[in-house]
């Protein structure tokens, strides 16, 4: 019958409203003749192309993170950032001018790699220019700028109304950043990396430039030249820390889709669900900024991982109970409210796990291999993010297994986090020997700060030095005093 006929692909794509009889009126004729079909369709039987494009873009971010990390340690932080930014402009323009779907996949892959290179090199350079008390605050402030861009993106998309115009606007913004006269001059090479790689003359000039501009510098000594990626595999403590933090970053990004899928029935509109996800990212950034400097990186990472694992296990039990046979429920009941609350808590905790794992890794990895190691960890986080578009492929039935596997990984990560050292208030390790000397303190023991530590604490300073002077005179005047020390 006409009332049960499915909508045609054209009406579904054009968004034509259905009539009261269930049939769809024909679309109005175009003003300039018949409309030719587009170069590719992303509906009906071709819906699989959408998650394929998203997965390809995330794969580009992963490959770009690894490549840019190696380039940061080999050529420096500043050259890696400049080259990535220069490559991002023509690649973004290529995405906007793509003529077929294959060209979109290739250009999006390379564009994601270029953006990852700029992000990673800037992240490392910014961290190495900060002293220990301000490392976390500066990194979280930069994270708020990232979130501000995510909040402005929907408004820019509404203004552009077309994805090619939106991509062109992004290209124009990148071109303005690249062409800004002071952009490349403001980003100086990291003095820590120059000292760690024995480039003393360049380090002296960079420190002089920072001192003249009253900027933060580095007072670290120099150390010997080390190998790049091979240095990670030839160590024990550094390799263990990198594997654990890469594992937690992978879990925090991959398990997030298990929570966001439960928000779809409650937030059917795109903009509402998008802003809720961005709001949870803001909450996670604020939570890390307020707690990680007070209680330590390891304790807060452990807390967020426990919250993520518990929320995931409870959601597994509740969703199976809710979807069980012979158990009809009203649309809005207590069970739905609990599922929604656990989903929001899980998303927030997973965001905190990912951003704190990346920041923690940047503090415990030595300078000579910080770019390569951090590139591997950031790449692992984007591998986890690729789980969302893969499970969104039509007729995909692996969501339950995906949820069970990542919930089990979260419990395993809780045990492995206990093996990490604490980096709060400590100077960044320079050489591989510094990285290997890091040890695991007790969980609730706060290690003493190594930087800006006064010679004598204000409490307990003796105000009467007469006994100390008398004892010193007696020791020096005693015939039994040793002649050599």
């Amino acid at each position: 019958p006409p009332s049960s006929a499915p909508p045609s692909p054209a009406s579904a794509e054009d968004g034509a409203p259905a009539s009261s009889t269930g049939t769809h009126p024909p679309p109005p004729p175009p003003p300039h003749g018949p409309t030719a079909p587009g170069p590719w369709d992303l509906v009906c039987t071709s819906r699989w192309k959408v998650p394929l494009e998203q997965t390809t873009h995330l794969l580009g971010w992963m490959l770009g993170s690894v490549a840019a990390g190696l380039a940061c340690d080999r050529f420096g932080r500043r050259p890696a950032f400049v080259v990535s930014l220069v490559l991002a402009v023509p690649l973004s323009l290529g995405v906007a001018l793509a003529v077929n779907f294959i060209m979109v996949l290739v250009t999006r892959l390379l564009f994601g790699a270029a953006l990852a290179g700029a992000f990673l090199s800037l992240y490392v350079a910014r961290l190495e220019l900060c002293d220990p008390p301000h490392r976390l605050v500066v990194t979280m402030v930069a994270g708020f700028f990232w979130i501000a861009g995510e909040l402005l993106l929907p408004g820019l998309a509404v203004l552009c109304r077309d994805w090619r115009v939106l991509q062109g606007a992004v290209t124009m913004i990148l071109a303005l950043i690249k062409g800004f006269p002071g952009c490349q001059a403001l980003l100086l090479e990291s003095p820590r990396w120059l000292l760690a790689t024995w480039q003393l003359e360049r380090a002296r000039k960079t420190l002089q430039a920072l001192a003249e501009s009253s900027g933060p510098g580095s007072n670290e000594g120099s150390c010997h030249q080390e190998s790049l990626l091979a240095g990670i595999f030839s160590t024990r403590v550094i390799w263990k820390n990198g594997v654990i933090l890469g594992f937690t970053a992978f879990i925090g990004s991959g398990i997030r889709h298990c929570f966001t899928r439960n928000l779809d029935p409650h937030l059917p509109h795109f903009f509402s669900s998008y802003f809720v996800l961005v709001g949870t990212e803001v909450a996670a950034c604020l939570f890390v900024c307020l707690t990680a400097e007070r209680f330590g990186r390891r304790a807060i990472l452990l807390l967020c991982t426990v919250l993520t694992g518990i929320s995931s296990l409870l959601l597994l039990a509740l969703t199976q109970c809710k979807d069980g046979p012979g158990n009809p429920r009203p649309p809005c009941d207590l069970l739905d409210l609990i599922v929604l609350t656990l989903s929001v808590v899980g998303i927030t905790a997973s965001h905190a796990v990912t951003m704190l794992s990346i920041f923690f890794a940047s503090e415990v990895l030595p300078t000579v291999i910080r770019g390569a190691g951090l590139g591997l960890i950031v790449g692992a986080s984007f591998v986890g993010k690729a789980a969302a578009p893969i499970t969104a492929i039509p007729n995909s039935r692996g969501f339950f297994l995906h949820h069970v596997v990542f919930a089990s990984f979260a419990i395993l990560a809780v045990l492995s986090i206990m093996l990490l050292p604490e980096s709060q208030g400590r100077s960044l390790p320079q050489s591989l020997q510094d990285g290997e000397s890091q040890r695991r303190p007790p969980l609730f023991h706060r290690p003493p700060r190594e930087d800006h530590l006064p010679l004598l604490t204000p409490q307990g300073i003796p105000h009467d030095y007469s006994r100390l002077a008398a004892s010193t005179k007696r020791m020096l005047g005693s015939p039994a005093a040793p002649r050599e020390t």
Side-chain angles (χ1 to χ4, degrees):
S3 59
S4 62
S8 62
S11 61
E13 185 174 357
D14 296 335
S19 63
S20 58
T21 59
T23 59
H24 295 267
H32 301 291
T35 303
W40 57 81
D41 293 321
L42 302 178
V43 294
C44 300
T45 58
S46 297
R47 288 172 55 194
W48 57 271
K49 294 181 179 179
V50 176
L52 176 62
E53 183 272 332
Q54 296 172 350
T55 306
T56 304
H57 186 61
L58 293 175
L59 179 63
W61 273 84
M62 182 200 69
L63 297 176
S65 299
V66 177
L70 293 172
C72 283
D73 291 337
R74 179 64 180 85
F75 305 104
R77 282 62 165 136
R78 186 176 182 272
F81 173 75
V82 173
V83 171
S84 299
L85 191 60
V86 169
L87 291 177
V89 175
L91 290 173
S92 178
L93 185 62
V95 175
L97 301 178
V99 296
N100 52 46
F101 184 71
I102 300 299
M103 186 175 178
V104 168
L105 290 181
V106 175
T107 52
R108 288 279 289 173
L109 174 72
L110 299 176
F111 181 57
L115 292 180
F119 167 78
L120 184 70
S121 55
L122 189 61
Y123 190 99
V124 175
R126 181 179 60 238
L127 179 88
E128 293 177 345
L129 286 174
C130 297
D131 55 342
H134 300 94
R135 283 198 301 254
L136 179 65
V137 176
V138 172
T139 303
M140 293 300 108
V141 169
F144 284 122
F145 278 98
W146 178 282
I147 296 172
E150 292 180 342
L151 291 174
L152 295 177
L153 184 59
L156 185 62
V158 170
L159 292 177
C160 295
R161 307 293 298 178
D162 184 79
W163 71 271
R164 293 184 186 273
V165 180
L166 177 61
Q167 190 67 38
V170 173
T171 305
M172 184 178 63
I173 295 174
L174 291 174
L176 290 176
I177 295 176
K178 183 179 73 69
F180 183 67
C183 176
Q184 300 180 7
L186 288 176
L187 182 63
L188 299 176
E189 188 54 80
S190 170
R192 286 184 181 270
W193 178 78
L194 293 174
L195 291 172
T197 54
W198 204 252
Q199 304 180 48
L200 302 183
E201 185 61 26
R202 290 184 58 191
R204 184 183 63 82
K205 294 180 180 179
T206 304
L207 290 173
Q208 285 180 351
L210 289 173
E212 292 173 358
S213 60
S214 300
S218 171
N219 56 356
E220 297 286 337
S222 58
C223 58
H224 295 287
Q225 176 83 25
E226 304 287 355
S227 58
L228 300 180
L229 191 59
I232 302 178
F233 299 99
S234 63
T235 58
R236 181 180 177 181
V237 177
I238 297 174
W239 170 248
K240 177 200 68 177
N241 296 337
V243 169
I244 293 174
L245 292 171
F247 184 57
T248 54
F250 168 75
I251 292 171
S253 300
I255 203 173
R256 197 171 304 142
H257 179 64
C258 304
F259 302 117
T260 56
R261 187 162 178 172
N262 293 313
L263 295 179
D264 294 339
H266 305 278
L267 301 172
H269 301 290
F270 169 77
F271 287 106
S272 58
S273 60
Y274 181 85
F275 286 117
V276 166
L277 293 177
V278 177
T280 57
E281 193 171 356
V282 173
C285 197
L286 281 173
F287 177 77
V288 171
C289 186
L290 295 176
T291 58
E293 191 64 35
R294 180 178 178 83
F295 301 102
R297 282 66 159 139
R298 189 176 59 152
I300 300 303
L301 180 60
L302 180 64
L303 173 63
C304 295
T305 309
V306 168
L307 288 177
T308 303
I310 292 177
S311 301
S312 180
L313 292 175
L314 291 177
L315 280 177
L316 274 175
L318 290 176
T319 51
Q320 292 303 311
C321 175
K322 180 179 178 180
D323 298 335
N327 193 22
R329 295 180 182 274
C332 294
D333 58 354
L334 181 61
L335 188 59
D336 289 334
L337 181 61
I338 295 175
V339 169
L340 181 61
T341 304
L342 288 175
S343 300
V344 174
V345 171
I347 294 172
T348 306
S350 64
H351 275 300
V353 167
T354 302
M355 65 177 62
L356 190 54
S357 298
I358 295 174
F359 176 75
F360 200 176
S362 66
E363 287 190 323
V364 298
L365 291 173
T367 302
V368 289
I369 57 172
R370 182 170 293 121
L374 195 61
L376 292 174
I377 294 172
V378 173
S381 69
F382 281 103
V383 172
K385 285 184 179 180
I390 290 175
T391 55
I393 296 177
N395 301 324
S396 176
R397 302 184 183 276
F399 174 73
F400 179 76
L401 179 61
H402 169 264
H403 200 164
V404 171
V405 169
F406 273 94
S408 305
F409 283 170
I411 302 302
L412 181 60
V414 171
L415 303 176
S416 61
I417 290 173
M418 302 293 294
L419 303 175
L420 293 173
E422 181 56 64
S423 61
Q424 177 194 4
R426 294 181 175 270
S427 60
L428 296 176
Q430 289 286 89
S431 63
L432 295 182
Q433 289 78 11
D434 296 338
E436 286 291 289
S437 63
Q438 300 177 103
R439 294 293 179 262
R440 176 180 61 89
L443 179 60
F444 297 104
H445 172 71
R446 299 185 63 182
R449 294 180 178 270
E450 295 182 354
D451 297 83
H452 308 287
L453 187 66
L455 297 178
L456 292 174
T457 55
Q459 295 83 8
I461 296 179
H463 298 282
D464 186 8
Y465 294 97
S466 59
R467 294 183 180 179
L468 178 61
S471 301
T472 304
K473 290 180 180 179
R474 284 197 303 268
M475 182 185 68
L476 294 176
S478 175
R483 297 181 181 274
E484 294 182 359
T485 59

